[in-house]
Structures are given as structure tokens and as C-alpha cells.
Amino acid sequence: MTSIEMIVAARSRLQGHARRTPLLSSPFLDEMAGRRVFAKAECLQHTGSFKFRGGWSALSGLAPEVRTRGVIAFSSGNHAQGVALAATRHGVPSVIIMPSDAPKLKIENTRAFGAEVVLYDRGTEDRDAIGARLSEERGLTLIRPFDEPLVIAGQATTGLEIAEQAEEEGITTADVLVPCGGGGLSSGIALALEATAPGFTVRPCEPEGFDDTTRSLAAGKIVRNATMTGSICDAIVTPEPGRITFPILQRLAGSGIAVTEEEVLRAMALAFKRLKIVVEPGGAVALAAALFHGAAIEGDAVIAVTSGGNVDTDLFAAALRRFG
């Protein structure tokens, strides 16, 4: 299981490879939310999302003889790009299994980072089964997107930075809102903050209709999503919380927050206008929760992770036209 010692070790391996992303703020957003709002801009990370942290942590943590044979991963795009770039920089091959309905930009970027891309139908095919088959056939090491201790440790380094940056801002207690798919980022940040900023509480954030973690936390057991298609927040649509990540969130996280697609699009436009960053729909759910679900948040400060910025141009332009 992931420990604070593993997280610190991952940070050491990431030194000089991952960016220390900024904690951004705007008085306009503070006024809108009725409290101080800070955005941890992981959309500015290499490959445009926090996933590079987990990809590099996992690749760099493998034994050299295992890493040399190559790796395989499955992802709607951000984990794909993170693993692809990490593998290329380590000089090893990578195969990435991606849903055919993933944003074109993410598929193109994954190939550009040096990976072989295998597409599948998200609604009818099982990506885990495809990954297991190819891994066995080619002798590749499977790097799971969230239920993998080394990946969680890498994502958790975001939490170490949040603790340091919040201290610089004089914040000692706050809800930390985190976009949540399988829970690798939210559980990792929760573990990091437990050790370094115990006054902070992680709150998983999801789109309505795909809020499996929110419903699972409320039910006290893992609950699946009814469908896997139909959300603009493709980056965080998963069948259910992870078997490793969910117990961590049960122990450390507060209740989840579900947001509407309209709130997501509005948050994307506001992030661009007020923070000067590009955020994809799945990466904007936490900021949407911070801005439009204030009644669910405690304290005079909130930190929202903007976890990714890999959005198709047409969708981003539509958000700006509607709410810009």
C-alpha cells in the first residue's frame, strides 16, 4: 500500500522531471464564491495533466530489467499521455489502450509522445481484459491508471505541494476539492495531506450521473456507474472507485460533490478569463464545485485542483462562447 515514505520517494524521483505547478487565485472568483478560492493548476503539468506524475513514478520505480521490456496502460487520454511520455523519456516502448470516443487531441498527443495506440469501444469492450491479454502476449508491464501504489504515490506529490503552498498563503484548514475518476489523485492527495497538513480535508468531485465515488462514500460500499458514456468529462468517467483507492477515501475524505455539465462549462470559461488557464471538463469539476456549491464547503478558503487541460478546441470554444 502507498505510504508517506513511498510518496516522498516518488517526489525525489520526480525532481527535475515534473513541474511544481502554481496555486492560482483571483479576487473575482473569491467574490463569486464568498471565500478565498485557490486553484492548483495541474493543467500546466507536462502532457497537460497530473497524470505525468504517476506515469513517471511508476516507470522510474520499476526494476531496470522489467522496465526495458516496455509497459502498457489503458486510459481515456491523460494517463495515456503521462505513461507514453515517461516511457519515451526512459527509452522504453509503450502500448496505450484508449477508448475510440476519447478526444481526438488526446489520441493524437499519445501517439506523438511515442506510444502505440490501441482503440476499443468503451460501451461494449473490457479494457482490463484487453490490457491483460496484450500484456501477456508481449511481456509488457501493465501500469494501471489508479489502482497501483506507485501511481498513487506519484499523484500524491501534488498533495505535498499543496501543503507547502497553502502554508505560504497562511491557510491552515481548508477543503481540498479534487476531480475524481478511479480515485488515484484524490486518495494520493489525501494520504499526503494526512501527513503534512492534517487540517485539510479532501472532497472528491464528479459530474452528475457519473458520481460513483460520491455515491459509494454515502453508501459505505463500492457502487458502480450505470453507464460509461454520455459525459463531456471523459477524463474522469470510470466504472467504479478503485479497490485500493476507495478504502483510503473512506478513511480520509469528506463527502463527494457532484456538479452539472453547465457548471463545468462555466468553470472552464471562468478559469480562462480569470486565471488565464485552459482546463478540460473533467479537470474543471472541482473548480465548478468550489464556485457553485459553496453550501457544501466549510471554511473561508477552498483549494480546487484543476487536474487537466487537454480539451478539444471546438468544445473549449463552445464553453467560451456560452459563458466567456
Side-chain angles (χ1 to χ4, degrees), residues 252-283:
L252 297 176
S255 57
I257 302 174
V259 301
T260 67
E261 288 197 352
E262 181 170 307
E263 290 167 340
V264 166
L265 292 171
R266 190 178 176 196
M268 291 167 61
L270 286 166
F272 182 73
K273 184 176 183 179
R274 301 303 185 187
L275 300 175
K276 312 307 178 188
I277 55 175
V278 174
V279 186
E280 66 188 273

Coordinates of all heavy atoms in Angstrom, one line a residue, residues 252-283:
L252 N -10.2 8.8 4.9 CA -9.6 10.2 4.9 C -10.5 11.3 4.3 O -10.3 12.5 4.7 CB -8.3 10.2 4.3 CG -7.2 9.4 4.9 CD1 -5.9 9.4 4.1 CD2 -6.9 9.8 6.4
A253 N -11.3 11.0 3.4 CA -12.0 12.0 2.6 C -13.4 12.4 3.2 O -14.0 11.6 3.9 CB -12.3 11.5 1.2
G254 N -13.8 13.6 2.9 CA -15.1 14.0 3.2 C -16.1 13.6 2.1 O -15.7 12.8 1.2
S255 N -17.3 14.0 2.2 CA -18.3 13.6 1.3 C -18.0 14.2 -0.1 O -17.4 15.2 -0.2 CB -19.7 14.1 1.7 OG -19.7 15.5 1.9
G256 N -18.5 13.5 -1.2 CA -18.2 13.9 -2.5 C -19.2 15.0 -2.9 O -20.2 15.3 -2.3
I257 N -18.9 15.7 -4.0 CA -19.7 16.7 -4.6 C -19.9 16.4 -6.1 O -18.9 16.2 -6.8 CB -19.1 18.1 -4.4 CG1 -18.8 18.4 -2.9 CG2 -20.0 19.2 -5.0 CD1 -18.1 19.7 -2.7
A258 N -21.2 16.4 -6.5 CA -21.5 16.2 -8.0 C -21.9 17.5 -8.6 O -22.7 18.3 -8.0 CB -22.5 15.2 -8.1
V259 N -21.4 17.8 -9.8 CA -21.7 19.1 -10.5 C -22.4 18.8 -11.8 O -22.2 17.7 -12.4 CB -20.5 19.9 -10.6 CG1 -19.8 20.3 -9.3 CG2 -19.4 19.2 -11.5
T260 N -23.1 19.8 -12.4 CA -23.7 19.7 -13.6 C -22.7 20.0 -14.8 O -21.7 20.7 -14.6 CB -24.9 20.6 -13.8 OG1 -24.5 22.0 -13.8 CG2 -25.9 20.4 -12.6
E261 N -23.1 19.6 -16.0 CA -22.2 19.9 -17.1 C -22.2 21.4 -17.4 O -21.2 22.0 -17.8 CB -22.7 19.1 -18.4 CG -22.4 17.6 -18.3 CD -22.4 16.9 -19.6 OE1 -22.9 17.6 -20.6 OE2 -22.0 15.8 -19.7
E262 N -23.3 22.1 -17.2 CA -23.4 23.5 -17.3 C -22.4 24.2 -16.4 O -21.7 25.1 -16.8 CB -24.8 24.0 -17.1 CG -24.9 25.5 -17.3 CD -26.4 26.0 -17.4 OE1 -27.2 25.5 -18.1 OE2 -26.7 27.0 -16.6
E263 N -22.4 23.7 -15.1 CA -21.4 24.3 -14.2 C -20.0 24.1 -14.6 O -19.1 24.9 -14.4 CB -21.7 23.7 -12.8 CG -23.0 24.2 -12.2 CD -23.5 23.4 -10.9 OE1 -23.0 22.2 -10.8 OE2 -24.3 23.9 -10.2
V264 N -19.7 22.9 -15.1 CA -18.4 22.6 -15.6 C -18.0 23.5 -16.7 O -16.9 24.1 -16.7 CB -18.3 21.1 -16.1 CG1 -17.1 20.8 -16.9 CG2 -18.4 20.1 -14.9
L265 N -18.8 23.7 -17.7 CA -18.5 24.6 -18.8 C -18.3 26.0 -18.4 O -17.4 26.7 -18.8 CB -19.6 24.5 -19.9 CG -19.8 23.2 -20.6 CD1 -21.1 23.2 -21.5 CD2 -18.6 22.9 -21.5
R266 N -19.1 26.5 -17.4 CA -19.0 27.8 -16.9 C -17.7 27.9 -16.1 O -17.0 29.0 -16.2 CB -20.1 28.1 -16.0 CG -20.2 29.6 -15.5 CD -21.4 29.9 -14.7 NE -21.4 31.2 -14.2 CZ -22.1 31.7 -13.2 NH1 -22.9 30.8 -12.5 NH2 -22.1 32.9 -12.8
A267 N -17.3 26.9 -15.4 CA -16.0 26.9 -14.7 C -14.8 27.0 -15.6 O -13.8 27.7 -15.4 CB -15.9 25.7 -13.7
M268 N -14.9 26.3 -16.7 CA -13.9 26.3 -17.8 C -13.7 27.7 -18.3 O -12.6 28.2 -18.4 CB -14.2 25.4 -18.9 CG -14.2 23.9 -18.6 SD -14.9 22.8 -19.8 CE -13.9 23.2 -21.3
A269 N -14.8 28.4 -18.6 CA -14.7 29.8 -19.1 C -14.2 30.7 -18.0 O -13.4 31.6 -18.4 CB -16.1 30.2 -19.5
L270 N -14.6 30.5 -16.8 CA -14.1 31.4 -15.7 C -12.6 31.2 -15.5 O -11.8 32.1 -15.2 CB -14.9 31.2 -14.5 CG -16.3 31.8 -14.5 CD1 -17.1 31.2 -13.3 CD2 -16.2 33.3 -14.4
A271 N -12.1 29.9 -15.6 CA -10.7 29.6 -15.4 C -9.9 30.3 -16.4 O -8.8 30.9 -16.2 CB -10.5 28.1 -15.4
F272 N -10.4 30.3 -17.7 CA -9.7 31.0 -18.8 C -9.7 32.5 -18.6 O -8.6 33.2 -18.7 CB -10.3 30.6 -20.1 CG -9.6 31.2 -21.3 CD1 -8.4 30.8 -21.7 CD2 -10.2 32.3 -22.0 CE1 -7.8 31.3 -22.8 CE2 -9.6 32.8 -23.1 CZ -8.4 32.4 -23.5
K273 N -10.8 33.1 -18.2 CA -11.0 34.5 -18.1 C -10.2 35.1 -16.9 O -9.6 36.1 -17.0 CB -12.5 34.9 -18.0 CG -12.7 36.4 -18.0 CD -14.2 36.6 -18.1 CE -14.6 38.1 -18.1 NZ -16.0 38.4 -18.2
R274 N -10.4 34.4 -15.8 CA -9.8 35.0 -14.5 C -8.5 34.4 -14.1 O -7.7 35.1 -13.4 CB -10.9 34.7 -13.4 CG -12.2 35.4 -13.6 CD -12.1 36.8 -13.9 NE -13.4 37.5 -14.0 CZ -13.6 38.7 -14.4 NH1 -12.6 39.5 -14.6 NH2 -14.9 39.2 -14.5
L275 N -8.2 33.2 -14.5 CA -6.9 32.6 -14.0 C -5.9 32.4 -15.2 O -4.8 32.1 -15.0 CB -7.2 31.2 -13.4 CG -8.1 31.2 -12.1 CD1 -8.3 29.8 -11.7 CD2 -7.4 32.0 -11.0
K276 N -6.4 32.6 -16.4 CA -5.6 32.5 -17.6 C -5.1 31.1 -17.9 O -4.0 30.9 -18.3 CB -4.5 33.5 -17.6 CG -4.9 34.9 -17.2 CD -6.0 35.5 -18.1 CE -6.4 36.9 -17.6 NZ -7.7 37.3 -18.3
I277 N -5.9 30.1 -17.6 CA -5.5 28.7 -17.8 C -6.6 28.0 -18.6 O -7.8 28.4 -18.5 CB -5.3 27.9 -16.5 CG1 -6.5 28.0 -15.5 CG2 -4.0 28.4 -15.8 CD1 -6.3 27.1 -14.3
V278 N -6.2 27.0 -19.4 CA -7.1 26.1 -20.1 C -7.4 24.9 -19.3 O -6.4 24.2 -19.0 CB -6.6 25.8 -21.5 CG1 -7.5 24.8 -22.2 CG2 -6.4 27.1 -22.3
V279 N -8.6 24.6 -19.0 CA -9.0 23.4 -18.2 C -10.0 22.6 -19.0 O -11.0 23.1 -19.5 CB -9.6 23.8 -16.9 CG1 -9.8 22.6 -16.0 CG2 -8.7 24.8 -16.1
E280 N -9.8 21.3 -19.1 CA -10.7 20.4 -19.7 C -11.9 20.1 -18.8 O -11.9 20.4 -17.6 CB -10.0 19.1 -20.1 CG -9.6 18.2 -18.9 CD -8.8 17.0 -19.4 OE1 -9.4 16.0 -19.7 OE2 -7.5 17.2 -19.4
P281 N -13.0 19.6 -19.3 CA -14.2 19.4 -18.5 C -14.0 18.5 -17.2 O -14.3 18.9 -16.1 CB -15.2 18.7 -19.4 CG -14.8 19.2 -20.8 CD -13.3 19.3 -20.8
G282 N -13.3 17.4 -17.4 CA -13.1 16.5 -16.2 C -12.2 17.2 -15.2 O -12.3 17.0 -14.0
G283 N -11.3 18.1 -15.7 CA -10.4 18.8 -14.8 C -11.0 20.0 -14.2 O -10.4 20.6 -13.2

